[in-house]
Amino acid sequence: MINLFWLASLALVVTAGAGTVVAYEVCRRYVLGKDAGLWAVATKAWRQSWRQATLIGLLAVPVAAAGILSLSYLPTLGLAEVVVPLVVAGLFLVLLVFWCLPLAARFTNPTWRQVRNGFTLGLTTPSLTFLLGIALVVGGVAVWNFMPAVFVAPGLILLWWCYLLERFFVARGYVQPEPEEAEV
């Protein structure tokens, strides 16, 4: 369900940021084991961060356009001249979508600070960012070779990434761990 909603929000460029924040928040609730209605969580996340998430999502548009433009030069320039701009555009896109937008969902800061913190965390933890890049490449190959995987792969990657981020935030002391409920 999360994956279908996220894919629908990504189809419209304007709602991609807010849709990613809502999908991240729903995944976060699932990872933490908090039982709340899907619709209630989604509307609350939408109301709290749609402006900021839309602005961050719109920052991704020129980055994606630069990546598409550099990819269009592939037949004329060759792979050697196009690889570096593609990798840089891909890195910035990954940082915006998978670091900055989850911070907008999780914390309350001004937009410029969310972007700065997202880029700082993404660049200072290269192991997590590199691991995410590998997961995105594997997911992209799976979708490219088996098109129905588009309904499963992005949601699984988002769920896995949410799990890793929650562990990261707790390990670094940015948030307090969720208390274990006592069994009766």
Side-chain angles (χ1 to χ4, degrees), residues 120-139:
T120 303
L121 286 174
L123 293 173
T124 57
T125 55
S127 58
L128 279 178
T129 305
F130 185 68
L131 194 60
L132 175 63
I134 291 172
L136 291 173
V137 167
V138 168

Side-chain angles (χ1 to χ4, degrees), residues 73-156:
Y73 283 109
L74 183 65
T76 58
L77 294 177
L79 187 61
E81 286 83 13
V82 175
V83 167
V84 172
L86 274 177
V87 168
V88 170
L91 175 67
F92 279 105
L93 213 60
V94 164
L95 290 175
L96 281 169
V97 172
F98 287 96
W99 279 102
C100 297
L101 287 173
L103 288 177
R106 189 73 167 96
F107 303 105
T108 305
N109 283 318
T111 305
W112 65 271
R113 201 171 203 184
Q114 298 285 25
V115 172
R116 186 193 71 189
N117 291 346
F119 277 101
T120 303
L121 286 174
L123 293 173
T124 57
T125 55
S127 58
L128 279 178
T129 305
F130 185 68
L131 194 60
L132 175 63
I134 291 172
L136 291 173
V137 167
V138 168
V141 168
V143 168
W144 185 263
N145 291 316
F146 184 65
M147 190 51 80
V150 75
F151 296 110
V152 178
L156 288 177

Side-chain angles (χ1 to χ4, degrees), residues 3-177:
N3 190 41
L4 292 176
F5 175 77
W6 191 36
L7 287 174
S9 73
L10 290 176
L12 301 169
V13 174
V14 176
T15 60
T20 302
V21 166
V22 170
Y24 175 79
E25 183 62 25
V26 171
C27 283
R28 188 177 78 82
R29 294 286 180 143
Y30 178 76
V31 164
L32 294 177
K34 292 183 177 180
D35 190 26
L38 177 68
W39 187 252
V41 171
T43 55
K44 182 179 178 186
W46 182 271
R47 273 186 278 118
Q48 286 180 346
S49 58
W50 72 270
R51 284 186 188 130
Q52 191 172 43
T54 301
L55 183 61
I56 294 171
L58 288 176
L59 287 174
V61 172
V63 174
I68 292 170
L69 181 66
S70 64
L71 189 61
S72 70
Y73 283 109
L74 183 65
T76 58
L77 294 177
L79 187 61
E81 286 83 13
V82 175
V83 167
V84 172
L86 274 177
V87 168
V88 170
L91 175 67
F92 279 105
L93 213 60
V94 164
L95 290 175
L96 281 169
V97 172
F98 287 96
W99 279 102
C100 297
L101 287 173
L103 288 177
R106 189 73 167 96
F107 303 105
T108 305
N109 283 318
T111 305
W112 65 271
R113 201 171 203 184
Q114 298 285 25
V115 172
R116 186 193 71 189
N117 291 346
F119 277 101
T120 303
L121 286 174
L123 293 173
T124 57
T125 55
S127 58
L128 279 178
T129 305
F130 185 68
L131 194 60
L132 175 63
I134 291 172
L136 291 173
V137 167
V138 168
V141 168
V143 168
W144 185 263
N145 291 316
F146 184 65
M147 190 51 80
V150 75
F151 296 110
V152 178
L156 288 177
I157 291 171
L158 184 66
L159 190 62
W160 170 76
W161 182 245
C162 180
Y163 172 75
L164 285 180
L165 275 185
E166 286 303 311
R167 285 185 37 196
F168 174 79
F169 291 151
V170 169
R172 296 284 172 104
Y174 298 132
V175 295
Q176 298 300 319

